[in-house]
């Protein structure tokens, strides 16, 4: 609807559609309708404003509103001047600045550093509505607008850039985001607890400079305060001789008592025991409280200039991520320290229910009229049932933001949200997803709270599923059954990624999923088939996929359904060789898969795989200058080659693949039979692309990986295509 009309109709629109749940105001006119002379908190965001619990600005805004604060939204402001940042007036407490639901650089650029043509979090899908590293110019304009107003950073960009981090787009290590933004405080992870405490303490007149004791926050200070014991990170994890322990994240004090870890211990490498170094194990001083200990990481200047120290710092950071035992960290930047308090305590089920039960409008702000917001369209009929992921995949940044401890909602809260969804315009009875970061980690946790609080492992499922992990899927099965029995609900689908090595532990869950909740295709992510890259990803072997596929096929047949698994794979991940990609291509062809959409490794800030990419070292083990080297794929030709292997069926890639296979001594894979990977012939070119290359239709939709046994998708291409030439050699 037009902007003026939308504002004029707000009171009736809100009352009729959303009861007592108006949108958070985005203009002075909307503030006037609410009877506000000012806002207590103004949230600046790089996304279009959608009042839905899948959008961070909506959650934080509603949580603060429920605490009695008046919250305004400045969405996608013009960052070239301070004018847009002043349109709601001066906030009484603080500006909350976030780049949006994604890191702004990942949002804008592809893995090949090319500018994307669209933005899923913007009305109309328009690109260019937010700046690069959006947190920086947003914070700078807020400071220009009102110099004395505290600036609080938040969101995933702040989480992943809170420490000195490798920036893929500049190919260098950048300082903590606090340095460039000059913000007063940075909240990382899920920040409901922290933002409420910050708001109340500021409202009580406490200076922002005194807010130094809140978990999940980072800030700048001159020196370590009195009463704290400072521990050098090289004492925690010395970048020297490599320990012979398979899983270096286990607590060294508990290793002797842990039969699981003892059974995984590696024998000492020949000649390594007598290296002339006397190794002493220094246990922490029992008189020094862990909560008064801070670990000093190598400075920004050191990690910027020394990739090995960068890998070491990244490793120590991941060692200190368990809220149950993490210590504070500090890293010098020039003449000032950036201090990182331990991670936030996960929300309980009751707290999760409270957050998701707040009065969200569940639709975009009316000022956008009929413009589509692609990210909203994708999730508007889905329900987030949990947070966190204990998979620990090294290329993923979910755990760096949400943590490894699963935070689950109750059945009642989830079912209530589904019932509310029935009133959302466009709902036809299909719930598109009940999920989260991983669909089937709902209510899974360590069997022992004591073990969970002391564990330092990066993953509960790698190199195998931990014996202490509860893998009971019964609560999730019950949720699925209750959801599809709700009046007005015709179907409940599962679209979130599935951890299949966990799923096979519960055949009843797989049967329930396959029988009732798969819409013909189920996406899963084995990521690779070869042990080399899989070990650097911390992903299970392809044998786990095979086990799941047998169950999937069995239960699909029993249900009388023709359904297919759609596997996803990553090209050019650290630790991947050309031979690994060749073997993956052979597996794809042998199993009848053709990837129409290729995912290349994207080095996101702070991820462990990004540290591998930058340093050439493996932070999953202790790091030194002679420790295991990790091969990385950085050159343009090799990255194109790895993607070409994933799309072995595309004729455009055949010349590069022929050249590479010949260089690799595998010319035997070039031939015209079905047993060869690629043919010797090259088809004619039509309109700039080889015929038969499996290109998407003119409609522009990106296709998923398909099984070649499926009937072709009708996108109109067949009706437009000219008859095939008969000059193609016979097979």
């Amino acid at each position: 609807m037009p902007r003026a009309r939308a504002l004029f109709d707000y009171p009736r629109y809100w009352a009729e559609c959303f009861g007592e749940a108006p949108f958070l105001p985005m203009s002075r006119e909307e503030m006037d309708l609410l009877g506000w002379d000012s806002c207590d908190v103004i949230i600046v965001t790089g996304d279009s404003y959608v009042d839905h619990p899948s959008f961070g600005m909506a959650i934080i805004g509603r949580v603060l509103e429920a605490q009695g604060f008046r919250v305004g939204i400045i969405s996608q402001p013009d960052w070239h001047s301070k004018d847009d940042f002043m349109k709601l007036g001066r906030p009484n407490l603080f500006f909350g600045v976030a780049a949006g639901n994604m890191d702004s650089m990942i949002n804008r650029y592809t893995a090949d550093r090319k500018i994307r043509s669209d933005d899923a979090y913007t009305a109309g899908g328009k690109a260019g509505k937010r700046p690069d590293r959006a947190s920086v110019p947003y914070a700078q304009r807020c400071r220009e607008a009102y110099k004395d107003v505290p600036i609080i950073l938040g969101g995933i960009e702040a989480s992943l850039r809170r420490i000195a981090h490798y920036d893929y787009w500049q190919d260098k290590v950048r300082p903590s985001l606090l340095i460039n933004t000059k913000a007063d405080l940075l909240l990382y992870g899920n920040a409901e607890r922290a933002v409420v405490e910050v708001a109340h303490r500021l409202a009580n007149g406490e200076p922002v400079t005194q807010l130094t004791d809140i978990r999940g926050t980072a800030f700048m200070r001159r020196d370590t305060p009195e009463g704290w014991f400072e521990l050098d990170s090289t004492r925690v994890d010395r970048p020297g001789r490599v320990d012979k322990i398979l899983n270096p994240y286990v607590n060294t004090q508990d290793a002797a008592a842990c039969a699981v870890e003892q059974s995984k211990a590696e024998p000492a490498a020949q000649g390594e025991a007598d290296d002339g170094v006397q190794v002493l194990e220094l246990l922490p001083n029992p008189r020094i409280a862990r909560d008064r200990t801070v670990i000093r990481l190598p400075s920004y200047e050191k990690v910027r200039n020394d990739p090995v120290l960068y890998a070491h710092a990244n490793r120590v950071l991941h060692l200190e991520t368990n809220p149950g035992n993490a210590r504070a960290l500090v890293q010098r930047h020039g003449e000032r320290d950036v201090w990182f308090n331990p991670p936030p305590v996960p929300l309980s089920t009751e707290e999760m229910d409270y957050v998701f039960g707040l009065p969200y409008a569940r639709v975009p702000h009316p000022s956008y009229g009929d413009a589509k917001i692609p990210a909203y369209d994708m999730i508007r009929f889905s329900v987030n049932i949990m947070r966190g992921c204990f998979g620990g995949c090294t290329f993923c940044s979910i755990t760096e933001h949400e943590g490894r401890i699963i935070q689950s909602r109750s059945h009642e809260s989830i079912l209530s949200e589904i019932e509310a969804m029935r009133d959302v315009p466009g709902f036809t009875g299909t719930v598109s997803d009940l999920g989260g970061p991983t669909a089937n980690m709902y209510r899974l946790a360590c069997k022992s709270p004591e073990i969970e609080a002391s564990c330092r492992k990066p993953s509960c499922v790698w190199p195998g599923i931990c014996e202490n992990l509860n893998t009971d899927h019964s609560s999730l099965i019950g949720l699925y059954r209750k959801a599809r029995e709700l009046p007005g609900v015709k179907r409940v689908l599962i679209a979130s990624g599935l951890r299949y090595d966990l799923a096979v532990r519960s055949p009843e869950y797989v049967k329930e999923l396959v029988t009732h909740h798969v819409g013909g295709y189920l996406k899963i992510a084995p990521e690779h088939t070869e042990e080399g890259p899989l070990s650097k990803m911390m992903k299970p072997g392809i044998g786990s996929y095979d086990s799941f596929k047998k169950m999937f096929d069995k239960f699909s047949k029993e249900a009388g359904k023709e359904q297919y698994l759609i596997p996803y794979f990553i090209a050019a991940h650290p630790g991947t060789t050309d031979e690994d990609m060749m073997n993956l291509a052979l597996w794809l062809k042998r199993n009848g898969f053709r990837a129409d959409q290729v995912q290349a490794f994207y080095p996101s800030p702070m991820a462990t795989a990004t540290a591998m990419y930058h340093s050439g070292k493996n932070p999953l083990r202790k790091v030194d200058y002679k420790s295991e080297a990790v091969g990385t794929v950085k050159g343009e030709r090799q990255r194109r080659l790895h993607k070409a292997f994933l799309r072995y069926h595309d004729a455009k890639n055949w010349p590069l693949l022929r050249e590479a296979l010949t260089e690799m001594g595998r010319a035997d894979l070039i031939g015209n039979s079905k047993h060869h990977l690629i043919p010797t012939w090259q088809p004619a070119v039509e309109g700039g692309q080889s015929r038969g290359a499996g290109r998407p239709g003119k409609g522009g939709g990106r296709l998923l990986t398909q099984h070649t046994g499926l009937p072709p998708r009708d996108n109109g291409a067949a009706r437009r295509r000219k008859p095939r030439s008969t000059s193609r050699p016979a097979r």
Side-chain angles (χ1 to χ4, degrees), residues 13 99 101 113 165 171-172 187 321 354 486 591 638 670:
Y13 183 78
N101 265 25
R113 298 187 177 95
H165 55 279
D171 192 25
K172 72 176 187 180
L187 312 186
T321 55
Y354 170 79
L486 289 174
N591 288 276
Q638 193 179 18
I670 306 171

Side-chain angles (χ1 to χ4, degrees), residues 352-369:
M352 285 282 286
D353 289 353
Y354 170 79
V355 169
F356 283 86
L358 293 170
Y360 301 96
R362 302 193 63 84
V363 295
H365 191 276
S367 63
Y368 301 118

Side-chain angles (χ1 to χ4, degrees), residues 237 245-252 261 311 314-321 325 394 404 454-459 462 538 608 618-622:
D237 197 77
I245 295 178
L246 178 63
N247 188 340
Y249 287 78
V250 67
N251 191 327
T252 55
E261 294 302 327
N314 179 272
R315 176 177 157 78
V316 173
L317 174 77
H318 285 82
L319 277 168
E320 303 295 331
T321 55
N325 64 8
T394 61
R404 294 185 173 86
S454 62
C455 182
R456 293 160 67 81
K457 296 175 67 175
S459 171
W462 187 88
M538 291 207 303
T608 299
N618 183 7
L620 298 178
R621 299 174 182 272
K622 286 198 173 183

Side-chain angles (χ1 to χ4, degrees), residues 39 63 140 159 168 210 217 243 282 286 342 421 442 482 512 532 696:
C39 292
V63 166
Q140 291 172 344
S159 281
Y168 172 63
Q210 292 184 12
T217 63
D243 284 357
L282 299 178
M421 187 188 299
Y442 178 74
K482 291 176 184 177
E512 176 75 17

Side-chain angles (χ1 to χ4, degrees), residues 239-313:
R241 189 171 65 88
V242 181
D243 284 357
K244 273 74 78 172
I245 295 178
L246 178 63
N247 188 340
Y249 287 78
V250 67
N251 191 327
T252 55
Q253 297 180 68
D254 300 332
C258 182
V260 175
E261 294 302 327
Q262 284 291 311
S263 66
K264 297 174 184 175
E266 292 180 341
Q270 185 175 4
E272 207 171 29
D274 299 324
D275 58 3
V277 177
Q278 182 180 8
V279 180
L280 300 177
E281 182 180 7
L282 299 178
L283 298 180
N285 188 330
R287 293 173 296 178
I288 299 173
R290 190 178 186 88
D291 61 359
R292 301 294 289 179
T293 300
V294 61
I295 299 172
R296 180 166 291 280
L297 300 171
S299 70
Y300 159 64
E301 290 77 14
K302 287 184 178 179
V303 299
R304 179 188 61 189
N305 297 324
D306 190 334
V308 174
L309 285 181
Y310 180 90
H312 160 76

Side-chain angles (χ1 to χ4, degrees), residues 266-475:
E266 292 180 341
Q270 185 175 4
E272 207 171 29
D274 299 324
D275 58 3
V277 177
Q278 182 180 8
V279 180
L280 300 177
E281 182 180 7
L282 299 178
L283 298 180
N285 188 330
R287 293 173 296 178
I288 299 173
R290 190 178 186 88
D291 61 359
R292 301 294 289 179
T293 300
V294 61
I295 299 172
R296 180 166 291 280
L297 300 171
S299 70
Y300 159 64
E301 290 77 14
K302 287 184 178 179
V303 299
R304 179 188 61 189
N305 297 324
D306 190 334
V308 174
L309 285 181
Y310 180 90
H312 160 76
N314 179 272
R315 176 177 157 78
V316 173
L317 174 77
H318 285 82
L319 277 168
E320 303 295 331
T321 55
N322 183 345
N325 64 8
R327 290 163 287 192
L329 303 173
V330 65
Q331 185 177 51
R332 196 75 171 173
H333 284 66
E335 297 181 355
R336 302 191 70 182
D337 285 338
V338 178
W339 183 285
F340 312 92
N341 281 329
V345 174
L347 298 184
S348 66
T349 295
E350 293 75 18
E351 290 169 324
M352 285 282 286
D353 289 353
Y354 170 79
V355 169
F356 283 86
L358 293 170
Y360 301 96
R362 302 193 63 84
V363 295
H365 191 276
S367 63
Y368 301 118
D370 296 329
K372 299 292 185 181
I373 301 176
Y376 167 71
D377 289 342
M378 184 173 66
I379 57 86
R380 65 176 174 158
F381 300 129
S382 68
V383 179
N384 193 332
I385 64 175
M386 44 79 71
R387 286 179 180 169
C389 179
F390 51 69
C393 299
T394 61
F395 53 81
C396 179
S397 297
I398 288 175
T399 53
E400 279 78 9
H401 182 60
E402 295 192 1
R404 294 185 173 86
I405 296 176
I406 304 302
Q407 304 163 68
S408 302
R409 298 168 63 187
S410 69
H411 285 193
E412 293 74 21
S413 171
I414 296 165
L415 297 175
S416 176
E417 184 171 342
I418 296 174
E419 290 178 320
M421 187 188 299
R422 294 178 304 199
D423 298 326
V424 174
F427 183 67
T428 60
T430 298
V431 178
S432 61
D433 187 28
L434 289 182
T438 304
N440 61 322
M441 286 187 182
Y442 178 74
R443 288 198 177 175
L444 300 190
C446 188
K447 296 175 182 177
S448 165
E450 292 76 19
I451 293 176
E452 180 180 77
S454 62
C455 182
R456 293 160 67 81
K457 296 175 67 175
S459 171
C460 298
V461 291
W462 187 88
I465 296 175
C466 179
E467 295 178 2
N468 294 316
L469 180 66
N470 172 24
T471 60
D472 181 10
H473 285 59
S474 60
S475 182

